[in-house]
Amino acid sequence: MKKVEAIIKPFKLDDVREALSEIGIAGMTAIEVKGFGRQKGHTELYRGAEYVVDFLPKVKLEIVVNEDQVERCIEAVTNAARTGKIGDGKIFVTEVEKVVRIRTGEEDQEAI
């Protein structure tokens, strides 16, 4: 099992959710986060004063999938979240050792 973590622009969340649903991925966790990378924030004007916004709003998705679904998951997220502009985000894939469904006690593949 693998955990696919994606950092995306907030307005792309619904598109990504629909793309994942289309390939049979039913569950994910979405967390509102702030961060920056190459985008390096931007300058805004508020009541005549200019200030720098270093941390930009993003959404972090956590999706646990079977190994055979990883590439399709990455492709779905990439295609749905891409705008072609800086700040589209990143995807990280890590190994998951164990999953337990709290309600039933099911483990690993059955718990996903």
Side-chain angles (χ1 to χ4, degrees):
M1 295 173 296
K2 302 282 188 180
K3 178 161 71 168
V4 178
E5 294 179 272
I7 310 294
I8 64 170
K9 292 183 175 183
F11 68 90
K12 286 295 194 171
L13 178 58
D14 286 335
D15 295 340
V16 171
R17 185 189 50 77
E18 288 174 20
L20 290 171
S21 181
E22 287 174 11
I23 63 167
I25 295 175
M28 72 172 175
T29 300
I31 308 153
E32 291 181 7
V33 296
K34 292 184 182 217
F36 69 93
R38 290 185 184 161
Q39 209 172 358
K40 302 226 192 315
H42 61 279
T43 303
E44 288 190 6
L45 198 62
Y46 179 72
R47 294 190 177 183
E50 194 173 275
Y51 66 99
V52 176
V53 178
D54 290 329
F55 291 93
L56 300 172
K58 302 286 182 177
V59 172
K60 177 181 179 182
L61 305 177
E62 294 182 351
I63 310 146
V64 177
V65 296
N66 292 321
E67 289 203 33
D68 62 340
Q69 294 177 302
V70 172
E71 291 305 318
R72 286 184 299 149
C73 179
I74 292 170
E75 185 178 328
V77 171
T78 301
N79 291 338
R82 180 181 292 134
T83 66
K85 295 184 171 66
I86 195 166
D88 277 351
K90 294 224 176 19
I91 298 174
F92 306 93
V93 180
T94 56
E95 189 71 35
V96 173
E97 291 184 27
K98 188 169 197 69
V99 176
V100 177
R101 185 184 310 261
I102 295 171
R103 179 178 55 87
T104 63
E106 292 171 298
E107 294 185 1
D108 300 329
Q109 310 284 348
E110 293 80 31
I112 297 176

